C-alpha cells in the first residue's frame, strides 16, 4: 500500500475535474506548473484506487539559452545589423555601426553573417550599406517558436540551433491521463484491509476496498535462524547417518601430544608440532600417561604407550620407525587438538578391545564434525579455529579402489562427481590421497578433501589386528561452505564478526542441488 | 609442503620433452607433486630470465628438494632413466680423509658426517642449485638447522685430517664466510645478532658453554656449525673437489641429509654417482665409521598384501615394474609370495611395507586402480546423544525467533574474566602457552564473551537483537588424563532499548518446557506449564526448575537469578539469567541493555 497522502489534495481534485472535461488529459498542457514529483504522487494515489490510468510520455524539450532569448526579443545579430544600416541611408563605418547597435560582439558576428547572406555590402569608402530592401529574420522566428512550444516542427532546426548554442534540450516526463474504471470526481473512502469488525458487522458487503499492491514484499517475519555453517554441518551429518556412521564423542578440546600426534605416528620433530602451528597449554601443566577411563575399562594402556614409544624410537610392526630418542615429556605436553583424528585414535583404541560374534574386532564406521585449533596467523582463509569433518571406516579386505568408490558416493551426495585422486603425503596415512573435484564456477579442479589408509604403525600400536584396514578422510566444514556460497573471507562465516543479517537471510542448504 | 622453483626450459630439456601446461600438470598430478606456478606468461618476468616453475614437493620427499631430484625422479617415473647406482669410491681406510670427533661435542652437537665429491664441474645453474638444496634441507628436514646443518668447502684450500671439536667461544677465532675480519665465537654472536638471515640460528648454540667447530690439520676453522662456514675454505664456481661436513643432534637425520646431498650432486662428478667416503673417528662413544653410508635397504614385501590393498591381481614381476618407476630396484624373490625390494639410500621416507604398497599404487596410477564396493560390512548409524539434545535446543531457539551465532572458542583473559566482572581463581580456565594474539589467551569458560562480541560487531542491525549459541566451554579438571573437560552449554542474549529480561526468561521457559521440565514458583509450589507434568507425592519436591535472585557482579543488582533444576530429586544450579551490569556493557562497547541466560545442558542428558 504505497500510496501517499502527502501530495496537495487539490492537485488530485484538479486532475479529476480536468479529466471530467477532457479525456485524455496531457499533464504538460493541463498542469504546466506542477512539480513532477507532486504530479506523480497524485496520479499514483488516484491510480491505486483505479480512478485514473496514465501513460508516461518521455519528451525532449528545447529551451532557449541566454543568447537565444536575446534573439527572440531583439532579432538575430545579422538582422540587427541590417536594420541599423537600413535606417542609416548613407551607410555606416564599423565604428558607427557598433555605436548604433551598442554591442561589439553582436556587431561583429551580425556583420559577417549579413555579408554571407548578401544582405549588406561595402561601399568604396569602406562603409557598410544594405544590399537589398528587406529581409526575413528566420532565426528570430525559429527561436520564438521554440520559446512558445518548447520544440520545433523541423528537427533539423533544433539540431542547428543547438549547434549554434542558442538552445539546449532536456528530457521531460509528462503524463497522458485517462479515466480509470472507478473514475469519480470525489475520492471515495476505501478500506485497506478486511477486519474482524467488518465481518461481524457485515460492512464488508458494501465497503470499497483499495486494491492490494501485489508488487511489494510481505511483512518481515523477525525470523529466527540456524547458523549457515551449522546448516551445512547438519547436511553432512545426515549423509553420514545415511551411510551407517556412528558419531564420535568429540567433547575434548584439550589433548595430549600422545593422542594428538604420537599415537598417529607423527614424529616429535614434525613441523606440525611446532609452536608456530600448534597451541600448547601452559595451565594445566601436563597430561597423565594414558590410563583407563573408568573401572570398566580393562584395556592395557601401558602396552599402547610402549608400542608407540617403540614404533617411533626403534620401529615395530614391520616398520623401521623414525629412529630418534622419543621423549615421554614431549608426549605428555597438552595441546588444543589440531585435528579430530586425535579422537579417532582413541576410538580405534577402544574398538580394538571389542569383539564381534566371530570373535574378531568388529568393522566400524565413525564420523565427527567439530572444532579444531591451529596457531595460524589469521587471514582471509585462515582462522585459529575451524571445523573438521572426519570419517573413519574400519573393515577387513578394504582396498584403495573401495576408498575411491566411497568418496564418489560420499561427495556425490553433495553434487560433486568425477573425482580425481592425487598421491599425497600425510604422516599417519599411507597411501594418502588428495581428493579433487571439478568446480564449474571456478572452472578448475579444486581440492575437496584428504584421505588415506591409516598406517599400520598407528593401527597396530592401538591394538588393531593386522588384517583390519582403516580408511580415514577429512575436510574442513568451512571450505565447501565458502565455495558453495561464494564467501571469500572465513571471518564472514565463523566467529563474532559474522553479520546477523547474513545468518537470518542465508537460504536452506541443499548440497545435492545447485 | 616445500616449494621448489626450477628453470622451466632446463627442466623440460632434462625431461626430453616440451610439455604443454596441461600435460605437465597431469604428470605432476599422477606423480603426487603439485605445479603451483609458471612464470612463462607472467608480464613481470624480466625478458632475459627463463620462466620458472614453482613445484610443491610432499614433505617426505627430501630427495626432490632440488632441480636434480625433481628431474631425476620424473624421468625414472616416465621410464626414461634408471635409478642411479650411487657408490663409494674404493679407498682403503688408511688413505681416507678423516674427521676425528672430540668428546666435548657431546655437550652441544654430538654427531658429524663427512663426504667428498671429486672432480666435479659446477655451472652457474648447478652451483645455485647446490646452495639452494642445502637451504631447503636446513629449512625442512633439519628443522631450521636445529637437527642438522651442512657445511661445504673447497677441499683444495684445506688439508685433512680434520677434527670436530667443541671449544669455549673465545677459543674459536676465524674469518666467517664473506667477512673481512676475524672474530671469536662470542664476537660472532653479537656480529650476527642483527643479520636478517643468520640471527634466527644463533639461539641453537648461543648459551652453550662450548661451541662446535670443524678444524683442518693446520687449525683452519672450516665452520662453526650450525651458524656459518669460514671464509678460507669457501666454495666457488671453480671449485672441483668439495668437502661436505654435516653436524647434527639427530643421528638418523644426519645420515639422511648426508645421503641426499651426495646423491643429488654426484651426478656432476667426473665419475658420475661416485662419492669419496670420509672416516669418522669417534672413539669416545664407539661410533667410528665411514660416511656416507649410501646403504640400500632390502625389504621383502608380501605380494598379497600389495595386491589386496590396491585391489589388484598383479604378478610379482609386474609389481617390480611399477616399483622401478618409483626409483626402487625390485625383483621377485625366491618365495613367490614376496618381492624383494631394495630401497635406495635417498628414500628415507620408506619405513614400512605400506610405503612400498603406496608406490605400487602410484606406479600403477591411482586413478587407474579398479574400483570396488566400500561396503564390506553393514554398520548402523548413530548420533551422539549430546548433539541430539543440542539440536532440540537449537531448533527451539530458532523457532522462537532467535538467531544462532558461532563465535570463537578461544578468547582473551580479560574477555573471559575482567570484562564480565569475574575473577580468575586460577583453577578454572585453560590457558594457552603460545598464542599469536591476545584474542587467543584462554579457552572460554562461558559462552557470554562470544555473544557479547557478536552484538558489538552487529550494531548496525535493526534492534532488538536476539542471539543464541549451543556449544562448548572447557575447564581444568585434575582428575582427567588430559587435565581438562568440556561442558555443553546453551546461552542467549537480548540486546535492545529495554533490558528484555522477560524475553530471555520466556525463552528459558519455552525451551525447558520443550525438554519436559516444568517451572516451579516458590510460593505456589508448582505451576506446571508442561501439559503432561505429573504432580508426584510432594509438589515442593517435584522435578522442575526455578530461579532465585543472586547478587553477582556480572549482573545489574536485583536483576539476576540463578537457575536451579531438580531432576530425580537431585537439585543443582545449572546457570544464570539476568540483566548485565552496565560496567560489563561498557567494556564490550554496548550502548543498550543486554539480558543473558547461560545454562549447562549436560544435566538433561
Amino acid at each position: 500500500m504505497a500510496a501517499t497522502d502527502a501530495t496537495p489534495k487539490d492537485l488530485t481534485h484538479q486532475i479529476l475535474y480536468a479529466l471530467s472535461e477532457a479525456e485524455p488529459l496531457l499533464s504538460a498542457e493541463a498542469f504546466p506548473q506542477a512539480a513532477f514529483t507532486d504530479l506523480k504522487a497524485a496520479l499514483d494515489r488516484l491510480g491505486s484506487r483505479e480512478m485514473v490510468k496514465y501513460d508516461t510520455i518521455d519528451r525532449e524539450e528545447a529551451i532557449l539559452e541566454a543568447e537565444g532569448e536575446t534573439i527572440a526579443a531583439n532579432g538575430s545579430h545579422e538582422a540587427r545589423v541590417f536594420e541599423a544600416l537600413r535606417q542609416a541611408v548613407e551607410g555606416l563605418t564599423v565604428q558607427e555601426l557598433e555605436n548604433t547597435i551598442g554591442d561589439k560582439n553582436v556587431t561583429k558576428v551580425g556583420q559577417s553573417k549579413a555579408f554571407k547572406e548578401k544582405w549588406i555590402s561595402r561601399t568604396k569608402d569602406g562603409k557598410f550599406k544594405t544590399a537589398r530592401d528587406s529581409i526575413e529574420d528566420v532565426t528570430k522566428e525559429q527561436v520564438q517558436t521554440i520559446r512558445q512550444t518548447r520544440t520545433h516542427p523541423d528537427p533539423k532546426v533544433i539540431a542547428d540551433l543547438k549547434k549554434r548554442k542558442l538552445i539546449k534540450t532536456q528530457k521531460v516526463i509528462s503524463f497522458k491521463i485517462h479515466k480509470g474504471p472507478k473514475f469519480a470526481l470525489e475520492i471515495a473512502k476505501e478500506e485497506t484491509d478486511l477486519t474482524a469488525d467488518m465481518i461481524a458487522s457485515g460492512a464488508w458487503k458494501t465497503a470499497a476496498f483499495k486494491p492490494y499492491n501485489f508488487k511489494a514484499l510481505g511483512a518481515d517475519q523477525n525470523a529466527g535462524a540456524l547458523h549457515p555453517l551449522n546448516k551445512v554441518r547438519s547436511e553432512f551429518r545426515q549423509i553420514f547417518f545415511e551411510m551407517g556412521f556412528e558419531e564420535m564423542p568429540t567433547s575434548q578440546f584439550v589433548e595430549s601430544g600422545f593422542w594428538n600426534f604420537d599415537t598417529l605416528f607423527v614424529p616429535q620433530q614434525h613441523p606440525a608440532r611446532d609452536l608456530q602451528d600448534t597451541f600448547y597449554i601452559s595451565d594445566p601443566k601436563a597430561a597423565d600417561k594414558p590410563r583407563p577411563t573408568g573401572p570398566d575399562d580393562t584395556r592395557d594402556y601401558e602396552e599402547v604407550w610402549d608400542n608407540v614409544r617403540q614404533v617411533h624410537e626403534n620401529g615395530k610392526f614391520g616398520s623401521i620407525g623414525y629412529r630418534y630418542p622419543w621423549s615421554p615429556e614431549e608426549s605428555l605436553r597438552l595441546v588444543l587438538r589440531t585435528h579430530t583424528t586425535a579422537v579417532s585414535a582413541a576410538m580405534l583404541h577402544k574398538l580394538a578391545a571389542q569383539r564381534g560374534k566371530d570373535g574378531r574386532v568388529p568393522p566400524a564406521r565413525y564420523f565427527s564434525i567439530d572444532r579444531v585449533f591451529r596457531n595460524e596467523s589469521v587471514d582471509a582463509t585462515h582462522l585459529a579455529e575451524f571445523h573438521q569433518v572426519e570419517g573413519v571406516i574400519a573393515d577387513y579386505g578394504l582396498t584403495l579402489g573401495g576408498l575411491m568408490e566411497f568418496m564418489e558416493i560420499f561427495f556425490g551426495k553433495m553434487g560433486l562427481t568425477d573425482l580425481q585422486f592425487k598421491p599425497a603425503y600425510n604422516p599417519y596415512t599411507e597411501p594418502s590421497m588428495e581428493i579433487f573435484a571439478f568446480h564449474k564456477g571456478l572452472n578448475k579442479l579444486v581440492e575437496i578433501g584428504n584421505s588415506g589408509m591409516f598406517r599400520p604403525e598407528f593401527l597396530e600400536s592401538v591394538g588393531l589386528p593386522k588384517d583390519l584396514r582403516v580408511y580415514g578422510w577429512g575436510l574442513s566444514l568451512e571450505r565447501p561452505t565458502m565455495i558453495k556460497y561464494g564467501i571469500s573471507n572465513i571471518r564472514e562465516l565463523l566467529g563474532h564478526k559474522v553479520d546477523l543479517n547474513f545468518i537470518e537471510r542465508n537460504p536452506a542448504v541443499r548440497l545435492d542441488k545447485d | 609442503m616445500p616449494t621448489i622453483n626450477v628453470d622451466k626450459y632446463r627442466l623440460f630439456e632434462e625431461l626430453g620433452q616440451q610439455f604443454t601446461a596441461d600435460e605437465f600438470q597431469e604428470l605432476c598430478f599422477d606423480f603426487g607433486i603439485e605445479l603451483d606456478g609458471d612464470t612463462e606468461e607472467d608480464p613481470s618476468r624480466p625478458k632475459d630470465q627463463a620462466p620458472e616453475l614453482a613445484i610443491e614437493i610432499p614433505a617426505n620427499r627430501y630427495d626432490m628438494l632440488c632441480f636434480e631430484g625433481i628431474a631425476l625422479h620424473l624421468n625414472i617415473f616416465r621410464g626414461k632413466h634408471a635409478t642411479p647406482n650411487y657408490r663409494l669410491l674404493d679407498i682403503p681406510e688408511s688413505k681416507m680423509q678423516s674427521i676425528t670427533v672430540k668428546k666435548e661435542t657431546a655437550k652441544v652437537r654430538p654427531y658429524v658426517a663427512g663426504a667428498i665429491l671429486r672432480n666435479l664441474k659446477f655451472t652457474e645453474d648447478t652451483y645455485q642449485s647446490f646452495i639452494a638444496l642445502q637451504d631447503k634441507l636446513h629449512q625442512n628436514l633439519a628443522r631450521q638447522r636445529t637437527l642438522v646443518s651442512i657445511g661445504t668447502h673447497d677441499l683444495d684450500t684445506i688439508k685433512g685430517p680434520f677434527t670436530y671439536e667443541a671449544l669455549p667461544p673465545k677459543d674459536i677465532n676465524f674469518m666467517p664466510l664473506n667477512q673481512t675480519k676475524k672474530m671469536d665465537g662470542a664476537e660472532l654472536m653479537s656480529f650476527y645478532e642483527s643479520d636478517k638471515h643468520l640471527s634466527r640460528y644463533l639461539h641453537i648454540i648461543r648459551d652453550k658453554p662450548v661451541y662446535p667447530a670443524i678444524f683442518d690439520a693446520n687449525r683452519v676453522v672450516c665452520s662453526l656449525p650450525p651458524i656459518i662456514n669460514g671464509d678460507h675454505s669457501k666454495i666457488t664456481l671453480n671449485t672441483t673437489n668439495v668437502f661436505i661436513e654435516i653436524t647434527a643432534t639427530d643421528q638418523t637425520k644426519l645420515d639422511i641429509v648426508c645421503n641426499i646431498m651426495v646423491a643429488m650432486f654426484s651426478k656432476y662428478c667426473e665419475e658420475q654417482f661416485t662419492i669419496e667416503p670420509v672416516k669418522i673417528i669417534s672413539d669416545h662413544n664407539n661410533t667410528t665409521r665411514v660416511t656416507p653410508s649410501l646403504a640400500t635397504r632390502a625389504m621383502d614385501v608380501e605380494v598379497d598384501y600389495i595386491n589386496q590393498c590396491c585391489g589388484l591381481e598383479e604378478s610379482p614381476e609386474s609389481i617390480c615394474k611399477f616399483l622401478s618407476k618409483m626409483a626402487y630396484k625390485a625383483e621377485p624373490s625366491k618365495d613367490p609370495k614376496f618381492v624383494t625390494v631394495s630401497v635406495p639410500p635417498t628414500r628415507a621416507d620408506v619405513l614400512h611395507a605400506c610405503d612400498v604398497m603406496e608406490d605400487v599404487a602410484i606406479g600403477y596410477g591411482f586413478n587407474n586402480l579398479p574400483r570396488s564396493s566400500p561396503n564390506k560390512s553393514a554398520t548402523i548409524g548413530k548420533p551422539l546423544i549430546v548433539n541430539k539434545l543440542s539440536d532440540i535446543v537449537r531448533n527451539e531457539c530458532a523457532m522462537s525467533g532467535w538467531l544462532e551465532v558461532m563465535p570463537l572458542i578461544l578468547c582473551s583473559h580479560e574477555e573471559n574474566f575482567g570484562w564480565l566482572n569475574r575473577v580468575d581463581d586460577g583453577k578454572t580456565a585453560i590457558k594457552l602457552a603460545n598464542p599469536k594474539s591476545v584474542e587467543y589467551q584462554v579457552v572460554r569458560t562461558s559462552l557470554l564473551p562470544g555473544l557479547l562480541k557478536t552484538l558489538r560487531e552487529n550494531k548496525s542491525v535493526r534492534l532488538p537483537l536476539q542471539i543464541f549459541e549451543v556449544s562448548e566451554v572447557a575447564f581444568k579438571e585434575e582428575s582427567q588424563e588430559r587435565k581438562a573437560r568440556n561442558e555443553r552449554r546453551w546461552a542467549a542474549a537480548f540486546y535492545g532499548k529495554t533490558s528484555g529480561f522477560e524475553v530471555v526468561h520466556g525463552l528459558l521457559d519455552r525451551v525447558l518446557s520443550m525438554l519436559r521440565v516444568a517451572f516451579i514458583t516458590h510460593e505456589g509450589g508448582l505451576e506446571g506449564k508442561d501439559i503432561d507434568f505429573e504432580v508426584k507425592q510432594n509438589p515442593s519436591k517435584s522435578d522442575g526448575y526455578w530461579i532465585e535472585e543472586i547478587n553477582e557482579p556480572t549482573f545489574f543488582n536485583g536483576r539476576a537469578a540463578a537457575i536451579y533444576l531438580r531432576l530425580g530429586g537431585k537439585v543443582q544450579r545449572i546457570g544464570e539469567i539476568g540483566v548485565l551490569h552496565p560496567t560489563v556493557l561498557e567494556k564490550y562497547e554496548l550502548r543498550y541493555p543486554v539480558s543473558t541466560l547461560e545454562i549447562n545442558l549436560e544435566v538433561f542428558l
Side-chain angles (χ1 to χ4, degrees):
Chain A
M1 308 282 172
T4 164
D5 289 313
T7 50
K9 277 255 166 57
D10 45 347
L11 187 54
T12 55
H13 283 110
Q14 282 170 30
I15 292 170
L16 292 175
Y17 279 101
L19 200 52
S20 69
E21 317 238 303
E23 188 188 7
L25 189 64
L26 292 172
S27 68
E29 288 170 6
F31 310 103
Q33 303 305 322
F36 169 77
T37 48
D38 292 343
L39 201 55
K40 175 84 166 60
L43 287 171
D44 281 344
R45 185 159 178 259
L46 294 171
S48 74
R49 290 172 162 76
E50 297 183 331
M51 296 173 75
V52 304
K53 291 188 291 191
Y54 64 86
D55 301 315
T56 308
I57 303 167
D58 280 353
R59 199 162 54 88
E60 287 263 289
E61 271 191 355
I63 295 176
L64 298 187
E65 297 276 18
E67 198 179 343
E69 289 286 358
T70 320
I71 292 171
N74 303 329
S76 67
H77 304 337
E78 57 273 24
R80 284 166 75 183
V81 168
F82 178 85
E83 185 58 26
L85 293 176
R86 193 180 62 80
Q87 285 180 14
V89 184
E90 294 301 312
L92 295 169
T93 64
V94 174
Q95 194 54 51
E96 286 164 344
L97 181 60
E98 200 176 303
N99 290 347
T100 310
I101 292 172
D103 186 320
K104 195 175 176 182
N105 193 41
V106 170
T107 313
K108 199 177 154 202
V109 175
Q111 171 238 105
S112 103
K113 198 100 190 272
F115 258 112
K116 218 190 246 167
E117 298 280 343
K118 299 202 170 102
W119 290 354
I120 60 172
S121 60
R122 216 177 257 266
T123 61
K124 280 177 191 149
D125 51 2
K127 286 186 176 178
F128 295 111
K129 66 176 180 105
T130 55
R132 50 206 283 188
D133 291 342
S134 65
I135 52 143
E136 195 182 345
D137 191 353
V138 179
T139 308
K140 182 180 175 183
E141 281 166 19
Q142 287 170 345
V143 294
Q144 279 178 342
T145 306
I146 286 170
R147 185 157 71 171
Q148 279 163 17
T149 64
R150 299 198 167 192
T151 186
H152 194 279
D154 184 355
K156 274 185 199 155
V157 170
I158 292 183
D160 177 52
L161 293 178
K162 202 170 161 187
K163 210 163 131 200
R164 286 163 67 186
K165 301 215 164 89
L166 298 180
I167 61 166
K168 61 181 176 191
T169 56
Q170 65 182 27
K171 213 172 178 183
V172 170
I173 301 169
S174 65
F175 303 97
K176 188 176 184 184
I177 309 162
H178 296 268
K179 288 177 182 170
K182 295 187 183 169
F183 179 79
L185 285 179
E186 289 303 319
I187 298 174
K189 184 180 182 301
E190 286 194 328
E191 300 295 343
T192 54
D193 204 1
L194 181 64
T195 64
D197 288 346
M198 292 160 81
I199 291 171
S201 66
W204 62 270
K205 291 173 195 158
T206 52
F209 284 89
K210 194 173 170 188
Y212 188 76
N213 179 5
F214 290 101
K215 287 174 188 154
L217 280 178
D220 188 356
Q221 296 300 292
N222 292 319
L226 297 175
H227 194 284
L229 201 53
N230 265 339
K231 293 198 284 193
V232 177
R233 174 174 170 270
S234 142
E235 284 291 296
F236 272 99
R237 281 181 87 218
Q238 195 54 45
I239 292 170
F240 278 115
F241 292 140
E242 285 165 17
M243 301 181 84
F245 282 78
E246 178 181 340
E247 197 166 25
M248 292 190 274
T250 44
S251 294
Q252 185 74 57
F253 295 151
V254 177
E255 283 287 351
S256 60
F258 183 80
W259 290 109
N260 195 75
F261 296 122
D262 292 304
T263 309
L264 294 167
F265 202 51
V266 179
Q268 294 187 331
Q269 307 95 335
H270 194 277
R273 300 178 77 151
D274 258 2
L275 292 171
Q276 293 303 310
D277 291 273
T278 297
F279 283 116
Y280 284 88
I281 308 286
S282 59
D283 182 18
K285 288 276 176 266
D288 291 341
K289 268 176 74 172
R291 56 179 167 79
T293 49
D296 303 337
D297 187 355
T298 56
R299 286 175 282 168
D300 186 349
Y301 283 83
E302 200 59 41
E303 192 184 347
V304 183
W305 175 263
D306 289 340
N307 282 345
V308 169
R309 172 202 281 265
Q310 285 166 21
V311 82
H312 280 247
E313 211 163 56
N314 309 310
K316 201 175 180 179
F317 309 119
S319 170
I320 59 169
Y322 292 118
R323 291 152 290 142
Y324 68 96
W326 185 79
S327 154
E329 292 75 33
E330 183 64 35
S331 192
L332 295 178
R333 285 175 80 183
L334 289 168
V335 301
L336 286 181
R337 66 173 176 222
T338 59
H339 47 194
T340 46
T341 319
V343 178
S344 302
M347 285 298 282
L348 288 171
H349 177 227
K350 205 168 156 188
L351 178 69
Q354 293 171 26
R355 292 294 175 269
K357 288 218 165 63
D358 56 1
R360 299 199 299 176
V361 173
R365 290 185 169 197
Y366 299 130
F367 84 96
S368 63
I369 306 171
D370 208 345
R371 203 81 63 107
V372 295
F373 305 85
R374 303 275 169 91
N375 199 4
E376 306 253 21
S377 297
V378 173
D379 63 28
T381 51
H382 295 91
L383 268 181
E385 302 176 21
F386 63 94
H387 292 81
Q388 185 185 342
V389 180
E390 164 137 350
V392 172
I393 298 179
D395 208 340
Y396 300 90
L398 294 180
T399 67
L400 276 177
L403 174 59
M404 293 191 278
E405 189 62 20
F406 178 85
M407 292 304 153
E408 292 279 3
I409 302 169
F410 181 79
F411 285 104
K413 284 172 179 281
M414 290 159 229
L416 294 166
T417 52
D418 302 316
L419 305 186
Q420 294 282 310
F421 298 88
K422 175 175 158 294
Y425 172 70
N426 181 334
Y428 45 89
T429 53
E430 186 84 9
S432 307
M433 303 177 153
E434 282 172 2
I435 309 164
F436 287 75
F438 188 76
H439 188 278
K440 290 189 204 91
L442 303 173
N443 195 30
K444 61 170 188 178
L445 278 180
V446 292
E447 192 193 330
I448 52 174
N450 251 304
S451 67
M453 288 164 92
F454 284 120
R455 290 190 74 97
E457 287 96 332
F458 154 42
L459 298 178
E460 293 185 49
S461 285
V462 298
L464 288 173
K466 209 175 160 185
D467 55 345
L468 184 83
R469 290 196 273 272
V470 184
Y471 298 152
W473 72 98
L475 58 148
S476 87
L477 182 62
E478 282 77 1
R479 191 172 152 76
T481 310
M482 287 168 74
I483 293 176
K484 181 100 188 159
Y485 293 108
I487 300 167
S488 55
N489 188 341
I490 191 171
R491 284 165 287 194
E492 289 168 16
L493 187 63
L494 180 66
H496 53 267
K497 292 190 174 155
V498 177
D499 183 357
L500 291 178
N501 287 325
F502 166 72
I503 295 175
E504 188 187 334
R505 290 168 200 166
N506 186 282
V509 179
R510 302 169 75 186
L511 290 178
D512 51 337
K513 203 171 179 302
D514 238 345
Chain B
M1 282 206 289
T3 300
I4 313 296
N5 292 310
V6 297
D7 181 324
K8 181 175 173 181
Y9 297 157
R10 258 185 81 214
L11 182 68
F12 284 6
E13 192 189 318
E14 195 78 16
L15 296 177
Q17 185 178 338
Q18 292 303 313
F19 292 88
T20 63
D22 282 350
E23 282 168 352
F24 192 68
Q25 180 92 47
E26 205 177 303
L27 173 65
C28 289
F29 195 95
D30 289 342
F31 186 76
I33 56 180
E34 203 164 318
L35 181 61
D36 205 29
D38 180 350
T39 60
E40 177 96 56
E41 308 295 336
D42 184 350
S44 67
R45 171 173 62 95
K47 285 271 179 300
D48 55 342
Q49 251 178 45
E52 278 192 346
L53 299 176
I55 301 179
E56 276 194 20
I57 304 296
N60 62 333
R61 293 303 297 265
Y62 316 116
D63 53 340
M64 294 182 71
L65 291 178
C66 60
F67 175 88
E68 288 72 15
I70 293 172
L72 176 68
H73 287 100
L74 286 179
N75 268 332
I76 296 174
F77 183 64
R78 294 158 68 237
K80 303 263 179 195
H81 201 305
T83 304
N85 189 14
Y86 306 108
R87 67 186 175 86
L88 296 179
L89 290 171
D90 190 14
I91 297 176
E93 279 199 25
S94 57
K95 295 205 171 147
M96 272 184 205
Q97 285 288 2
S98 68
I99 303 175
T100 303
V101 186
K102 298 288 170 68
K103 69 171 188 297
E104 293 76 19
T105 54
K107 292 181 200 160
V108 51
R109 205 170 176 85
Y111 307 112
V112 67
I116 294 163
L117 296 174
R118 283 282 175 193
N119 300 319
L120 172 141
K121 285 218 167 47
F122 280 126
T123 64
E124 180 64 37
D125 287 328
T126 58
Y127 180 80
Q128 291 304 334
S129 178
F130 188 63
I131 306 294
L133 174 62
Q134 293 174 52
D135 194 46
K136 288 291 173 190
L137 286 168
H138 280 152
Q139 300 319 313
N140 294 284
L141 182 61
R143 307 305 315 287
Q144 313 288 342
R145 302 192 187 181
T146 54
L147 301 179
V148 184
S149 63
I150 307 160
T152 53
H153 311 274
D154 186 336
L155 183 60
D156 299 326
T157 64
I158 44 179
K159 186 171 169 299
F162 300 92
T163 55
Y164 178 45
E165 308 181 17
L167 299 171
K170 289 277 178 207
D171 299 348
I172 305 171
N173 211 309
F174 71 111
M175 192 151 76
L177 187 63
N178 300 331
Q179 295 307 322
T180 49
K181 67 177 177 62
K182 288 179 89 169
M183 51 187 91
D184 68 28
E187 287 165 347
L188 183 136
M189 283 293 160
S190 47
F191 181 79
Y192 285 114
E193 199 156 40
S194 55
D195 187 283
K196 207 171 78 194
H197 178 58
L198 293 177
S199 57
R200 58 196 151 127
Y201 306 120
L202 301 180
H203 75 97
I204 303 171
I205 57 165
R206 175 167 224 154
D207 299 325
K208 305 277 183 185
V210 288
Y211 288 179
I214 303 262
F215 291 91
D216 85 340
N218 299 321
R219 300 299 292 164
V220 170
V221 176
C222 301
S223 71
L224 189 143
I227 314 297
I228 193 148
N229 293 343
D231 195 61
H232 181 95
S233 56
K234 75 175 167 201
I235 63 164
T236 66
L237 263 173
N238 301 321
T239 300
T240 54
N241 295 307
V242 179
F243 172 58
I244 302 172
E245 43 82 12
I246 306 175
T247 58
T249 55
D250 182 303
Q251 176 82 58
T252 308
K253 300 220 168 34
L254 173 72
D255 290 342
I256 297 173
V257 168
C258 192
N259 284 339
I260 302 257
M261 280 300 295
V262 298
M264 291 301 121
F265 285 89
S266 57
K267 173 180 158 69
Y268 301 118
C269 289
E270 199 171 55
E271 204 177 330
Q272 264 200 334
F273 304 119
T274 62
I275 296 102
E276 180 178 320
V278 171
K279 185 173 181 185
I280 307 298
I281 304 165
S282 188
D283 292 336
H284 70 281
N285 58 359
N286 291 322
T287 56
T288 296
R289 67 197 198 284
V290 171
T291 62
S293 68
L294 283 184
T296 54
R297 189 159 53 86
M299 279 171 86
D300 281 333
V301 183
E302 253 182 290
V303 171
D304 275 359
Y305 168 73
I306 292 174
N307 272 332
Q308 281 170 13
C309 289
C310 298
L312 294 172
E313 286 173 2
E314 295 293 326
S315 65
E317 288 75 14
S318 108
I319 285 176
C320 293
K321 227 173 59 210
F322 294 126
L323 284 173
S324 69
K325 291 175 78 176
M326 301 304 288
Y328 298 86
K329 292 198 178 91
E331 51 187 30
S333 83
K334 282 182 198 114
D335 182 343
K337 285 194 200 124
F338 292 90
V339 286
T340 301
V341 179
S342 92
V343 183
T346 46
R347 287 298 304 275
D349 58 301
V350 177
L351 307 177
H352 187 278
C354 68
D355 297 297
V356 177
M357 177 264 287
E358 178 184 63
D359 281 340
V360 172
I362 298 174
Y364 191 93
F366 272 9
N367 295 297
N368 303 328
L369 289 172
R371 298 291 177 90
S372 61
S373 167
N375 301 317
K376 300 286 176 199
S377 315
T379 53
I380 294 166
K382 187 176 146 192
L384 201 62
I385 299 306
V386 72
N387 287 348
K388 268 185 94 168
L389 173 70
S390 297
D391 286 351
I392 293 171
V393 175
R394 292 173 52 236
N395 286 324
E396 290 301 338
C397 288
M399 283 190 274
S400 304
W402 294 63
L403 295 179
E404 183 178 36
V405 297
M406 291 179 88
L408 301 182
I409 283 160
L410 304 179
C411 62
S412 77
H413 186 273
E414 266 184 332
E415 287 162 353
N416 197 65
F417 291 107
W419 287 10
L420 292 175
N421 292 334
R422 285 177 182 168
V423 180
D424 180 7
D425 64 2
K427 294 175 198 158
T428 12
I430 295 156
K431 292 174 183 134
L432 306 197
N434 57 328
K436 287 196 177 113
S437 117
V438 289
E439 286 177 275
Y440 311 126
Q441 289 173 317
V442 299
V443 181
R444 64 184 180 189
T445 60
S446 162
L447 299 182
L448 295 186
L451 293 183
L452 298 181
K453 284 193 282 182
T454 304
L455 293 176
R456 181 185 70 201
E457 300 295 328
N458 276 284
K459 281 184 195 146
S460 61
V461 180
R462 191 163 54 93
L463 294 177
L465 304 183
Q466 301 181 181
I467 58 173
F468 76 94
E469 184 187 12
V470 177
S471 183
E472 293 188 341
V473 298
F475 300 103
K476 284 169 73 173
E477 178 63 63
E478 270 305 311
S479 67
Q480 296 285 315
E481 178 190 320
R482 296 159 182 90
K483 304 295 166 195
R485 70 177 172 89
N486 281 20
E487 185 175 291
R488 187 67 56 101
R489 292 254 178 116
W490 164 45
F494 177 97
Y495 178 66
K497 291 203 168 151
T498 57
S499 82
F501 182 89
E502 71 291 346
V503 184
V504 175
H505 191 183
L507 180 68
L508 177 73
D509 293 339
R510 168 70 189 168
V511 169
L512 291 196
S513 72
M514 290 297 100
L515 292 172
R516 293 179 177 272
V517 187
F519 185 64
I520 306 166
T521 60
H522 289 294
E523 301 80 14
L526 170 73
E527 189 188 308
K529 289 191 173 180
D530 191 9
I531 44 166
D532 54 1
F533 179 77
E534 281 176 46
V535 181
K536 306 260 171 60
Q537 292 82 356
N538 182 351
S540 66
K541 290 283 181 205
S542 61
D543 284 358
Y545 72 98
W546 68 93
I547 63 176
E548 245 174 61
E549 186 176 340
I550 52 170
N551 189 1
E552 289 181 7
T554 303
F555 301 102
F556 195 47
N557 248 347
R559 291 287 181 279
I563 303 164
Y564 285 90
L565 177 76
R566 181 162 47 230
L567 272 184
K570 190 181 161 204
V571 173
Q572 21 181 350
R573 174 169 160 175
I574 60 167
E576 302 80 38
I577 181 168
V579 180
L580 290 184
H581 199 277
T583 55
V584 173
L585 302 180
E586 193 187 329
K587 287 293 194 309
Y588 280 96
E589 297 168 33
L590 296 169
R591 285 177 304 222
Y592 299 116
V594 175
S595 289
T596 63
L597 78 83
E598 178 169 24
I599 69 167
N600 173 7
L601 276 184
E602 292 176 11
V603 294
F604 298 103
L605 282 174

